[in-house]
Coordinates of all heavy atoms in Angstrom, one line a residue:
M24 N 15.8 -17.0 -6.9 CA 16.0 -16.6 -5.6 C 14.7 -15.9 -5.1 O 14.1 -15.2 -5.9 CB 17.2 -15.7 -5.4 CG 17.6 -15.5 -4.0 SD 19.1 -14.6 -3.6 CE 20.0 -14.6 -5.1
F25 N 14.4 -16.0 -3.8 CA 13.3 -15.3 -3.2 C 13.7 -14.6 -2.0 O 14.7 -14.9 -1.4 CB 12.2 -16.4 -2.9 CG 11.4 -16.8 -4.1 CD1 11.9 -17.7 -5.0 CD2 10.1 -16.3 -4.3 CE1 11.2 -18.1 -6.1 CE2 9.4 -16.7 -5.4 CZ 10.0 -17.5 -6.3
A26 N 12.9 -13.6 -1.6 CA 13.2 -12.7 -0.4 C 12.0 -12.5 0.5 O 10.9 -12.4 0.0 CB 13.8 -11.4 -0.9
R27 N 12.3 -12.4 1.8 CA 11.3 -12.0 2.8 C 11.8 -10.7 3.3 O 12.9 -10.5 3.8 CB 11.2 -13.0 3.9 CG 10.2 -12.7 4.9 CD 10.2 -13.7 6.1 NE 9.9 -15.0 5.7 CZ 10.8 -16.0 5.7 NH1 12.0 -15.9 6.2 NH2 10.4 -17.2 5.3
L28 N 10.9 -9.7 3.2 CA 11.2 -8.3 3.7 C 10.3 -8.0 4.9 O 9.1 -8.0 4.8 CB 10.9 -7.3 2.6 CG 11.2 -5.9 3.0 CD1 12.7 -5.6 3.2 CD2 10.7 -5.0 1.8
S29 N 10.9 -7.9 6.1 CA 10.1 -7.6 7.3 C 10.4 -6.1 7.7 O 11.5 -5.7 7.7 CB 10.6 -8.5 8.4 OG 10.4 -9.9 8.0
T30 N 9.4 -5.4 8.1 CA 9.5 -4.0 8.5 C 9.1 -3.9 10.0 O 8.2 -4.5 10.4 CB 8.5 -3.1 7.6 OG1 8.8 -3.3 6.3 CG2 8.6 -1.7 8.0
Y31 N 10.0 -3.2 10.7 CA 9.8 -3.0 12.1 C 9.8 -1.5 12.4 O 10.3 -0.7 11.7 CB 11.0 -3.6 12.9 CG 11.4 -5.0 12.5 CD1 12.2 -5.2 11.4 CD2 10.9 -6.0 13.2 CE1 12.6 -6.5 11.0 CE2 11.2 -7.3 12.8 CZ 12.0 -7.6 11.7 OH 12.4 -8.8 11.4
Q32 N 9.1 -1.2 13.6 CA 9.1 0.2 14.1 C 9.5 0.1 15.5 O 9.0 -0.7 16.3 CB 7.8 0.9 13.9 CG 7.8 2.3 14.4 CD 8.7 3.2 13.6 OE1 8.6 3.3 12.4 NE2 9.7 3.8 14.2
G33 N 10.5 1.0 15.9 CA 10.9 1.0 17.3 C 11.3 2.4 17.6 O 11.0 3.4 16.9
S34 N 12.1 2.6 18.7 CA 12.6 3.9 19.1 C 13.8 4.3 18.3 O 14.5 3.4 17.8 CB 12.9 3.8 20.6 OG 11.8 3.5 21.3
P35 N 14.1 5.6 18.2 CA 15.3 6.0 17.6 C 16.5 5.3 18.2 O 16.5 4.9 19.4 CB 15.4 7.5 17.8 CG 13.9 7.9 18.0 CD 13.3 6.7 18.7
V36 N 17.6 5.1 17.4 CA 18.8 4.4 17.8 C 19.9 5.4 17.9 O 20.2 6.1 17.0 CB 19.2 3.3 16.8 CG1 20.4 2.6 17.3 CG2 18.0 2.3 16.6
P37 N 20.6 5.5 19.1 CA 21.7 6.5 19.3 C 22.8 6.2 18.3 O 23.0 5.1 17.9 CB 22.2 6.2 20.7 CG 21.1 5.4 21.4 CD 20.4 4.7 20.3
P38 N 23.5 7.3 17.8 CA 24.5 7.1 16.8 C 25.6 6.2 17.3 O 26.2 5.5 16.5 CB 25.1 8.5 16.7 CG 24.0 9.4 17.1 CD 23.2 8.7 18.1
E39 N 25.9 6.1 18.6 CA 26.9 5.2 19.1 C 26.5 3.8 19.3 O 27.3 2.9 19.6 CB 27.5 5.8 20.4 CG 26.6 5.8 21.6 CD 25.6 7.0 21.6 OE1 25.7 7.9 20.7 OE2 24.7 7.0 22.5
G40 N 25.2 3.5 19.1 CA 24.7 2.2 19.3 C 25.2 1.2 18.3 O 25.4 1.5 17.1
D41 N 25.6 0.0 18.7 CA 26.2 -1.1 17.9 C 25.1 -1.9 17.3 O 24.4 -2.7 18.1 CB 27.2 -1.9 18.7 CG 27.8 -3.0 17.8 OD1 27.7 -3.0 16.6 OD2 28.5 -3.8 18.4
L42 N 24.8 -1.8 16.0 CA 23.7 -2.6 15.4 C 24.2 -4.0 15.0 O 23.4 -4.9 15.0 CB 23.2 -1.9 14.2 CG 22.6 -0.5 14.4 CD1 22.4 0.2 13.1 CD2 21.4 -0.6 15.3
A43 N 25.5 -4.1 14.7 CA 26.0 -5.4 14.1 C 25.9 -6.5 15.1 O 25.6 -7.7 14.8 CB 27.4 -5.2 13.6
A44 N 26.3 -6.2 16.4 CA 26.4 -7.3 17.4 C 25.0 -8.0 17.6 O 24.9 -9.2 17.6 CB 26.8 -6.7 18.7
K45 N 23.9 -7.2 17.7 CA 22.6 -7.8 17.9 C 22.2 -8.5 16.6 O 21.5 -9.6 16.7 CB 21.6 -6.7 18.3 CG 21.9 -6.1 19.7 CD 21.0 -5.0 20.0 CE 21.3 -4.4 21.3 NZ 20.5 -3.3 21.7
S46 N 22.4 -8.0 15.5 CA 22.0 -8.6 14.2 C 22.7 -9.9 14.0 O 22.1 -10.8 13.5 CB 22.3 -7.6 13.1 OG 21.6 -6.4 13.2
E47 N 24.0 -10.0 14.4 CA 24.7 -11.2 14.1 C 24.1 -12.4 14.9 O 23.9 -13.5 14.4 CB 26.2 -11.1 14.6 CG 27.0 -12.2 14.2 CD 27.1 -12.5 12.7 OE1 27.0 -11.6 11.9 OE2 27.3 -13.7 12.4
V48 N 23.6 -12.2 16.1 CA 23.0 -13.2 16.9 C 21.7 -13.7 16.2 O 21.4 -14.9 16.2 CB 22.7 -12.7 18.3 CG1 21.8 -13.7 19.1 CG2 24.0 -12.4 19.1
I49 N 20.9 -12.7 15.7 CA 19.7 -13.0 15.0 C 19.9 -13.8 13.8 O 19.3 -14.9 13.5 CB 18.9 -11.7 14.7 CG1 18.5 -11.0 16.0 CG2 17.7 -12.0 13.8 CD1 18.0 -9.6 15.8
V50 N 20.9 -13.5 13.0 CA 21.2 -14.2 11.7 C 21.6 -15.6 12.0 O 21.3 -16.5 11.3 CB 22.3 -13.4 10.9 CG1 22.7 -14.3 9.7 CG2 21.7 -12.1 10.4
Q51 N 22.4 -15.8 13.0 CA 22.9 -17.1 13.4 C 21.7 -18.1 13.6 O 21.9 -19.3 13.4 CB 23.8 -17.1 14.6 CG 25.1 -16.5 14.4 CD 25.9 -16.3 15.6 OE1 25.5 -16.6 16.7 NE2 27.2 -15.9 15.4
Q52 N 20.6 -17.6 14.0 CA 19.4 -18.4 14.2 C 18.7 -18.9 13.0 O 17.9 -19.9 13.0 CB 18.4 -17.7 15.1 CG 18.9 -17.4 16.5 CD 17.9 -16.6 17.4 OE1 16.8 -17.1 17.5 NE2 18.3 -15.5 17.9
V53 N 18.9 -18.2 11.8 CA 18.3 -18.6 10.6 C 19.3 -19.1 9.5 O 18.8 -19.7 8.6 CB 17.4 -17.5 10.0 CG1 16.2 -17.2 10.9 CG2 18.2 -16.3 9.7
E54 N 20.5 -18.8 9.6 CA 21.5 -19.1 8.6 C 21.7 -20.6 8.3 O 22.1 -20.9 7.2 CB 22.8 -18.4 8.8 CG 23.6 -19.0 9.9 CD 24.9 -18.2 10.1 OE1 25.3 -17.4 9.3 OE2 25.6 -18.4 11.2
N55 N 21.3 -21.4 9.2 CA 21.5 -22.9 9.0 C 20.2 -23.5 8.4 O 20.2 -24.7 8.2 CB 21.9 -23.6 10.3 CG 23.3 -23.2 10.6 OD1 24.2 -23.0 9.8 ND2 23.6 -23.0 11.9
L56 N 19.2 -22.7 8.2 CA 18.0 -23.3 7.6 C 18.2 -23.6 6.2 O 18.9 -22.9 5.5 CB 16.8 -22.3 7.8 CG 16.3 -22.0 9.2 CD1 15.3 -20.9 9.2 CD2 15.8 -23.2 9.8
P57 N 17.6 -24.7 5.7 CA 17.8 -25.1 4.3 C 17.4 -24.0 3.3 O 16.4 -23.3 3.5 CB 16.9 -26.3 4.1 CG 16.7 -26.8 5.5 CD 16.8 -25.6 6.4
G58 N 18.3 -23.7 2.4 CA 18.0 -22.7 1.3 C 18.4 -21.3 1.7 O 18.2 -20.4 0.9
F59 N 18.9 -21.0 2.9 CA 19.3 -19.6 3.3 C 20.4 -19.2 2.4 O 21.4 -19.9 2.2 CB 19.7 -19.6 4.8 CG 20.2 -18.3 5.2 CD1 19.3 -17.3 5.6 CD2 21.5 -18.0 5.3 CE1 19.7 -16.0 6.0 CE2 22.0 -16.7 5.7 CZ 21.1 -15.8 6.1
R60 N 20.3 -17.9 1.9 CA 21.3 -17.4 1.0 C 22.0 -16.1 1.5 O 23.0 -15.7 1.0 CB 20.7 -17.2 -0.4 CG 20.1 -18.4 -1.1 CD 21.2 -19.3 -1.6 NE 21.8 -18.5 -2.6 CZ 22.9 -19.0 -3.3 NH1 23.3 -20.2 -3.1 NH2 23.4 -18.2 -4.3
G61 N 21.3 -15.4 2.4 CA 21.9 -14.2 2.9 C 20.9 -13.3 3.7 O 19.7 -13.7 3.7
A62 N 21.4 -12.3 4.3 CA 20.5 -11.4 5.0 C 21.1 -10.0 5.0 O 22.3 -9.8 5.0 CB 20.3 -11.9 6.4
Y63 N 20.2 -9.0 5.1 CA 20.5 -7.6 5.2 C 19.6 -7.1 6.3 O 18.5 -7.5 6.5 CB 20.2 -6.8 4.0 CG 21.1 -7.1 2.8 CD1 20.8 -8.1 1.9 CD2 22.2 -6.3 2.6 CE1 21.6 -8.4 0.8 CE2 23.1 -6.6 1.5 CZ 22.7 -7.6 0.6 OH 23.5 -7.9 -0.5
Y64 N 20.2 -6.1 7.1 CA 19.4 -5.5 8.2 C 19.6 -4.0 8.0 O 20.7 -3.5 8.0 CB 19.8 -5.9 9.6 CG 18.9 -5.4 10.7 CD1 17.6 -5.7 10.7 CD2 19.4 -4.5 11.6 CE1 16.8 -5.2 11.8 CE2 18.6 -4.0 12.7 CZ 17.3 -4.4 12.7 OH 16.5 -3.9 13.7
L65 N 18.5 -3.2 7.7 CA 18.5 -1.8 7.4 C 17.9 -1.0 8.5 O 16.8 -1.4 8.9 CB 17.8 -1.6 6.0 CG 18.2 -2.5 4.9 CD1 17.2 -2.4 3.7 CD2 19.6 -2.3 4.5
V66 N 18.5 0.0 8.9 CA 18.0 0.8 10.1 C 18.1 2.3 9.8 O 19.1 2.8 9.3 CB 18.8 0.5 11.3 CG1 18.3 1.4 12.5 CG2 18.8 -0.9 11.7
D67 N 17.0 3.0 10.1 CA 17.0 4.5 10.1 C 17.1 4.8 11.6 O 16.1 4.7 12.3 CB 15.7 5.0 9.5 CG 15.7 6.5 9.4 OD1 16.2 7.2 10.3 OD2 15.1 7.1 8.5
R68 N 18.3 5.2 12.0 CA 18.5 5.5 13.4 C 17.6 6.6 13.9 O 17.2 6.6 15.1 CB 20.0 5.8 13.7 CG 20.9 4.7 13.5 CD 22.4 5.1 13.8 NE 23.3 4.1 13.6 CZ 23.8 3.4 14.6 NH1 23.4 3.6 15.8 NH2 24.7 2.4 14.3
V69 N 17.3 7.6 13.1 CA 16.6 8.8 13.5 C 15.1 8.4 13.8 O 14.5 8.8 14.9 CB 16.6 9.9 12.5 CG1 15.7 11.1 12.9 CG2 18.1 10.4 12.3
T70 N 14.5 7.6 13.0 CA 13.1 7.3 13.1 C 12.8 6.0 13.9 O 11.7 5.7 14.4 CB 12.4 7.2 11.8 OG1 12.9 6.0 11.1 CG2 12.5 8.4 10.9
G71 N 13.8 5.1 13.9 CA 13.7 3.8 14.6 C 13.1 2.8 13.7 O 12.8 1.7 14.1
K72 N 12.8 3.1 12.4 CA 12.3 2.2 11.5 C 13.4 1.3 11.0 O 14.5 1.7 10.7 CB 11.7 2.9 10.3 CG 10.9 2.0 9.3 CD 10.1 2.9 8.3 CE 9.2 2.0 7.5 NZ 8.4 2.8 6.6
A73 N 13.1 0.0 10.8 CA 14.1 -1.0 10.4 C 13.5 -2.0 9.5 O 12.3 -2.2 9.5 CB 14.7 -1.7 11.6
R74 N 14.3 -2.6 8.6 CA 13.9 -3.7 7.7 C 14.9 -4.8 7.7 O 16.1 -4.5 7.7 CB 13.7 -3.1 6.3 CG 12.5 -2.2 6.2 CD 12.0 -2.1 4.8 NE 10.7 -1.4 4.8 CZ 10.5 -0.2 4.4 NH1 11.5 0.6 4.0 NH2 9.3 0.4 4.3
S75 N 14.4 -6.0 7.7 CA 15.3 -7.1 7.5 C 14.9 -7.8 6.2 O 13.7 -7.9 5.9 CB 15.2 -8.1 8.6 OG 14.0 -8.7 8.7
L76 N 15.9 -8.1 5.4 CA 15.7 -8.8 4.1 C 16.5 -10.1 4.2 O 17.7 -10.1 4.3 CB 16.3 -7.9 3.0 CG 16.2 -8.6 1.6 CD1 14.7 -8.5 1.1 CD2 17.0 -7.8 0.6
T77 N 15.8 -11.2 4.1 CA 16.5 -12.5 4.0 C 16.3 -13.1 2.6 O 15.2 -12.9 2.0 CB 15.9 -13.5 5.1 OG1 14.5 -13.6 5.0 CG2 16.3 -13.0 6.5
L78 N 17.3 -13.7 2.1 CA 17.3 -14.3 0.8 C 17.3 -15.8 0.9 O 18.0 -16.4 1.7 CB 18.6 -13.8 0.0 CG 18.7 -12.3 -0.1 CD1 20.0 -11.9 -0.7 CD2 17.6 -11.8 -1.0
W79 N 16.5 -16.4 0.0 CA 16.3 -17.8 0.0 C 16.5 -18.4 -1.4 O 16.2 -17.8 -2.4 CB 14.9 -18.2 0.5 CG 14.7 -17.6 1.9 CD1 14.3 -16.3 2.2 CD2 15.1 -18.2 3.1 NE1 14.3 -16.2 3.5 CE2 14.9 -17.3 4.1 CE3 15.7 -19.4 3.4 CZ2 15.1 -17.5 5.4 CZ3 16.0 -19.7 4.7 CH2 15.7 -18.8 5.7
E80 N 17.1 -19.6 -1.5 CA 17.4 -20.2 -2.7 C 16.2 -20.4 -3.7 O 16.3 -20.2 -4.9 CB 18.0 -21.6 -2.4 CG 18.5 -22.4 -3.6 CD 19.2 -23.7 -3.1 OE1 20.0 -23.6 -2.2 OE2 18.9 -24.7 -3.7
D81 N 15.1 -20.7 -3.1 CA 13.9 -20.9 -3.9 C 12.7 -20.6 -3.0 O 12.8 -20.4 -1.8 CB 13.8 -22.3 -4.5 CG 14.0 -23.4 -3.5 OD1 13.5 -23.2 -2.3 OD2 14.6 -24.4 -3.8
E82 N 11.5 -20.6 -3.7 CA 10.3 -20.2 -2.9 C 10.0 -21.3 -1.9 O 9.5 -21.0 -0.8 CB 9.1 -20.1 -3.9 CG 7.8 -19.6 -3.3 CD 6.7 -19.4 -4.2 OE1 6.7 -20.0 -5.3 OE2 5.8 -18.6 -3.9
A83 N 10.2 -22.5 -2.2 CA 9.9 -23.6 -1.2 C 10.7 -23.4 0.1 O 10.2 -23.6 1.2 CB 10.2 -25.0 -1.9
S84 N 12.0 -23.1 -0.1 CA 12.9 -22.9 1.1 C 12.4 -21.7 1.9 O 12.3 -21.8 3.2 CB 14.3 -22.6 0.7 OG 14.9 -23.7 0.0
M85 N 12.0 -20.6 1.2 CA 11.5 -19.5 2.0 C 10.2 -19.8 2.7 O 10.1 -19.5 3.9 CB 11.2 -18.3 1.0 CG 10.6 -17.1 1.7 SD 10.2 -15.8 0.5 CE 8.9 -16.5 -0.4
L86 N 9.3 -20.5 2.1 CA 8.0 -20.9 2.7 C 8.2 -21.9 3.9 O 7.6 -21.8 4.9 CB 7.0 -21.5 1.7 CG 6.6 -20.5 0.7 CD1 5.7 -21.1 -0.4 CD2 5.9 -19.3 1.3
E87 N 9.2 -22.8 3.7 CA 9.5 -23.8 4.8 C 10.1 -23.1 6.0 O 10.0 -23.6 7.1 CB 10.4 -24.9 4.3 CG 9.7 -25.8 3.3 CD 10.6 -26.8 2.7 OE1 11.7 -27.0 3.2 OE2 10.2 -27.4 1.6
S88 N 10.7 -21.9 5.8 CA 11.4 -21.2 6.9 C 10.4 -20.3 7.6 O 10.8 -19.7 8.6 CB 12.6 -20.4 6.4 OG 12.1 -19.3 5.6
E89 N 9.2 -20.2 7.2 CA 8.2 -19.3 7.8 C 8.1 -19.4 9.3 O 8.2 -18.4 10.0 CB 6.8 -19.4 7.2 CG 6.7 -18.8 5.8 CD 6.9 -17.3 5.8 OE1 6.5 -16.6 6.7 OE2 7.5 -16.9 4.8
E90 N 7.9 -20.6 9.8 CA 7.7 -20.8 11.3 C 8.9 -20.4 12.1 O 8.8 -19.5 13.0 CB 7.3 -22.2 11.6 CG 6.8 -22.4 13.0 CD 6.4 -23.8 13.3 OE1 5.6 -24.3 12.5 OE2 6.7 -24.3 14.4
P91 N 10.1 -20.9 11.8 CA 11.3 -20.5 12.6 C 11.6 -19.0 12.4 O 12.0 -18.3 13.4 CB 12.4 -21.4 12.1 CG 11.9 -22.1 10.9 CD 10.5 -22.0 10.9
A92 N 11.4 -18.5 11.2 CA 11.7 -17.1 11.0 C 10.7 -16.2 11.8 O 11.1 -15.2 12.3 CB 11.6 -16.8 9.5
A93 N 9.5 -16.6 11.8 CA 8.5 -15.8 12.6 C 8.8 -15.8 14.1 O 8.7 -14.8 14.7 CB 7.1 -16.4 12.4
R94 N 9.3 -16.9 14.6 CA 9.7 -17.0 16.0 C 10.8 -16.1 16.3 O 10.8 -15.3 17.2 CB 10.0 -18.5 16.3 CG 10.3 -18.7 17.8 CD 10.5 -20.1 18.2 NE 11.7 -20.7 17.4 CZ 11.6 -21.5 16.4 NH1 10.5 -22.0 16.0 NH2 12.7 -22.0 15.8
V95 N 11.9 -16.1 15.4 CA 13.0 -15.3 15.6 C 12.6 -13.8 15.5 O 13.1 -13.0 16.3 CB 14.1 -15.6 14.6 CG1 15.3 -14.6 14.6 CG2 14.7 -17.0 14.8
R96 N 11.8 -13.5 14.5 CA 11.4 -12.1 14.3 C 10.6 -11.6 15.5 O 10.9 -10.5 16.0 CB 10.5 -12.1 13.0 CG 10.1 -10.7 12.6 CD 9.4 -10.8 11.2 NE 8.4 -11.8 11.1 CZ 8.5 -12.9 10.3 NH1 9.6 -13.0 9.5 NH2 7.5 -13.8 10.2
D97 N 9.7 -12.4 16.0 CA 8.9 -11.9 17.1 C 9.7 -11.8 18.4 O 9.6 -10.8 19.1 CB 7.7 -12.9 17.4 CG 6.7 -12.9 16.2 OD1 6.7 -11.9 15.5 OD2 5.9 -13.8 16.1
E98 N 10.6 -12.8 18.7 CA 11.4 -12.7 19.9 C 12.4 -11.6 19.9 O 12.5 -10.8 20.8 CB 12.2 -14.0 20.1 CG 11.3 -15.2 20.4 CD 12.0 -16.5 20.4 OE1 13.3 -16.6 20.1 OE2 11.4 -17.6 20.7
S99 N 13.0 -11.4 18.7 CA 14.0 -10.3 18.6 C 13.4 -8.9 18.7 O 13.9 -8.0 19.3 CB 14.9 -10.5 17.4 OG 14.1 -10.4 16.2
S100 N 12.2 -8.8 18.0 CA 11.6 -7.4 18.0 C 11.1 -7.1 19.4 O 11.2 -6.0 19.8 CB 10.4 -7.4 17.0 OG 9.4 -8.3 17.3
Q101 N 10.5 -8.1 20.1 CA 10.1 -7.8 21.5 C 11.3 -7.4 22.4 O 11.2 -6.5 23.2 CB 9.4 -9.0 22.1 CG 8.0 -9.2 21.5 CD 7.3 -10.5 22.1 OE1 7.8 -11.1 23.0 NE2 6.1 -10.8 21.5
R102 N 12.4 -8.2 22.3 CA 13.6 -7.9 23.1 C 14.1 -6.5 22.8 O 14.6 -5.8 23.7 CB 14.6 -9.0 22.8 CG 15.8 -8.9 23.6 CD 16.8 -10.1 23.4 NE 17.1 -10.3 22.0 CZ 16.7 -11.4 21.3 NH1 15.9 -12.3 21.8 NH2 17.1 -11.5 20.1
E103 N 14.0 -6.1 21.5 CA 14.6 -4.8 21.1 C 13.6 -3.6 21.3 O 13.9 -2.5 20.9 CB 15.1 -4.9 19.7 CG 16.2 -5.9 19.5 CD 17.4 -5.6 20.4 OE1 17.8 -4.4 20.6 OE2 17.9 -6.6 21.0
G104 N 12.4 -3.9 21.7 CA 11.4 -2.9 21.9 C 10.8 -2.4 20.5 O 10.4 -1.2 20.4
Q105 N 10.7 -3.3 19.6 CA 10.2 -3.0 18.3 C 8.8 -3.7 18.1 O 8.5 -4.6 18.8 CB 11.1 -3.4 17.1 CG 12.5 -2.8 17.1 CD 13.4 -3.4 16.1 OE1 13.4 -4.6 15.9 NE2 14.1 -2.6 15.4
R106 N 8.1 -3.2 17.1 CA 6.9 -4.0 16.7 C 7.1 -4.3 15.2 O 7.6 -3.6 14.4 CB 5.6 -3.2 17.0 CG 5.4 -2.0 16.2 CD 4.1 -1.3 16.5 NE 3.9 -0.1 15.8 CZ 3.5 0.0 14.5 NH1 3.1 -1.1 13.9 NH2 3.4 1.2 13.9
V107 N 6.6 -5.5 14.8 CA 6.6 -5.9 13.4 C 5.5 -5.2 12.7 O 4.3 -5.4 13.1 CB 6.5 -7.5 13.3 CG1 6.5 -7.9 11.9 CG2 7.6 -8.2 14.1
V108 N 5.8 -4.5 11.7 CA 4.8 -3.7 11.0 C 4.2 -4.5 9.8 O 3.0 -4.6 9.6 CB 5.4 -2.4 10.4 CG1 4.4 -1.6 9.6 CG2 5.8 -1.5 11.6
S109 N 5.1 -5.2 9.1 CA 4.7 -6.0 8.0 C 5.8 -7.1 7.6 O 6.9 -6.9 8.0 CB 4.4 -5.2 6.7 OG 5.6 -4.5 6.3
V110 N 5.3 -8.1 6.9 CA 6.2 -9.2 6.4 C 5.7 -9.4 5.0 O 4.5 -9.8 4.8 CB 6.1 -10.4 7.2 CG1 7.0 -11.5 6.6 CG2 6.5 -10.2 8.7
D111 N 6.6 -9.2 4.0 CA 6.3 -9.4 2.6 C 7.2 -10.4 1.9 O 8.3 -10.6 2.4 CB 6.3 -8.1 1.9 CG 5.3 -7.1 2.4 OD1 4.1 -7.3 2.4 OD2 5.8 -6.0 2.9
H112 N 6.8 -11.0 0.9 CA 7.5 -12.0 0.1 C 7.7 -11.6 -1.3 O 6.7 -11.1 -1.9 CB 6.9 -13.3 0.2 CG 6.7 -13.8 1.6 ND1 5.6 -13.4 2.4 CD2 7.4 -14.5 2.4 CE1 5.7 -14.0 3.6 NE2 6.8 -14.6 3.6
F113 N 8.9 -11.8 -1.9 CA 9.1 -11.4 -3.2 C 10.0 -12.4 -4.0 O 10.8 -13.1 -3.3 CB 9.9 -10.0 -3.3 CG 9.2 -8.9 -2.6 CD1 9.4 -8.6 -1.3 CD2 8.3 -8.1 -3.4 CE1 8.7 -7.5 -0.7 CE2 7.7 -7.0 -2.8 CZ 7.9 -6.7 -1.4
E114 N 9.9 -12.4 -5.3 CA 10.8 -13.1 -6.1 C 11.9 -12.1 -6.5 O 11.6 -11.0 -6.8 CB 10.2 -13.7 -7.4 CG 11.2 -14.5 -8.2 CD 10.5 -15.2 -9.3 OE1 9.3 -15.1 -9.5 OE2 11.2 -15.9 -10.1
V115 N 13.2 -12.5 -6.4 CA 14.3 -11.6 -6.7 C 14.4 -11.6 -8.2 O 14.7 -12.6 -8.8 CB 15.6 -12.0 -6.0 CG1 16.7 -11.1 -6.4 CG2 15.4 -12.0 -4.5
A116 N 14.2 -10.4 -8.8 CA 14.3 -10.3 -10.3 C 15.8 -10.4 -10.7 O 16.1 -11.0 -11.8 CB 13.7 -9.1 -10.8
F117 N 16.7 -9.7 -10.0 CA 18.1 -9.8 -10.3 C 18.9 -9.3 -9.2 O 18.4 -8.6 -8.3 CB 18.5 -9.0 -11.6 CG 18.4 -7.5 -11.5 CD1 19.5 -6.8 -11.1 CD2 17.2 -6.8 -11.7 CE1 19.5 -5.4 -10.9 CE2 17.2 -5.4 -11.5 CZ 18.3 -4.7 -11.1
V118 N 20.2 -9.6 -9.1 CA 21.1 -9.1 -8.1 C 22.4 -8.6 -8.8 O 22.9 -9.3 -9.7 CB 21.5 -10.3 -7.1 CG1 22.5 -9.8 -6.1 CG2 20.3 -10.8 -6.4
R119 N 22.8 -7.5 -8.4 CA 24.1 -7.0 -8.9 C 24.8 -6.3 -7.7 O 24.3 -5.3 -7.2 CB 24.0 -6.0 -10.0 CG 25.3 -5.5 -10.5 CD 25.2 -4.6 -11.7 NE 24.9 -5.4 -12.8 CZ 24.4 -4.8 -13.9 NH1 24.3 -3.6 -14.1 NH2 24.1 -5.6 -15.0
L120 N 25.9 -6.8 -7.3 CA 26.8 -6.2 -6.3 C 28.1 -5.8 -6.9 O 28.6 -6.5 -7.8 CB 27.0 -7.2 -5.2 CG 25.8 -7.7 -4.4 CD1 26.1 -8.8 -3.5 CD2 25.1 -6.6 -3.7
A121 N 28.6 -4.7 -6.5 CA 29.9 -4.3 -7.0 C 31.0 -5.3 -6.6 O 30.9 -5.8 -5.4 CB 30.2 -2.9 -6.5
P122 N 32.0 -5.5 -7.4 CA 33.1 -6.4 -7.0 C 33.9 -5.9 -5.9 O 34.0 -4.7 -5.6 CB 33.9 -6.6 -8.3 CG 33.4 -5.5 -9.2 CD 32.1 -5.0 -8.7

């Protein structure tokens, strides 16, 4: 499995702000791409820093998704008043989630 980690910087997010509604729309744009395995969206409401982590079946799937993922990333960050700070790629060494 492989992962793309994107880092964003924006304005602080109010405690009552709904993060899930906006994230769901974004995920729907990439979840049907071949090899998509999952996504996480992490936010520090106080600083406005955020990260998205998308998981891909293999490196080829991750690389093939670069263009549509970049489009979604750029459009959503502009709409939300964020800037893309970095985009990194990793091989996932292991995954363990509690049952």
Side-chain angles (χ1 to χ4, degrees):
M24 189 174 342
F25 282 76
R27 181 183 302 113
L28 179 66
S29 302
T30 302
Y31 309 89
Q32 183 62 58
S34 299
V36 180
E39 66 279 356
D41 181 11
L42 301 171
K45 293 176 182 176
S46 299
E47 187 62 29
V48 171
I49 295 167
V50 171
Q51 288 174 355
Q52 297 179 53
V53 294
E54 69 183 349
N55 292 323
L56 294 174
F59 177 81
R60 302 284 297 178
Y63 291 88
Y64 187 62
L65 313 169
V66 178
D67 181 328
R68 288 179 183 264
V69 174
T70 66
K72 189 172 190 176
R74 289 199 169 108
S75 64
L76 177 74
T77 54
L78 299 170
W79 302 90
E80 186 173 311
D81 52 36
E82 186 174 25
S84 297
M85 180 181 65
L86 295 175
E87 288 173 19
S88 72
E89 284 296 323
E90 187 177 317
R94 185 177 60 253
V95 170
R96 185 173 47 249
D97 292 342
E98 289 172 1
S99 62
S100 63
Q101 287 178 6
R102 186 173 52 249
E103 299 303 319
Q105 298 175 318
R106 68 179 175 84
V107 178
V108 176
S109 63
V110 178
D111 298 300
H112 302 86
F113 299 93
E114 183 171 2
V115 177
F117 72 91
V118 175
R119 178 177 290 165
L120 300 173

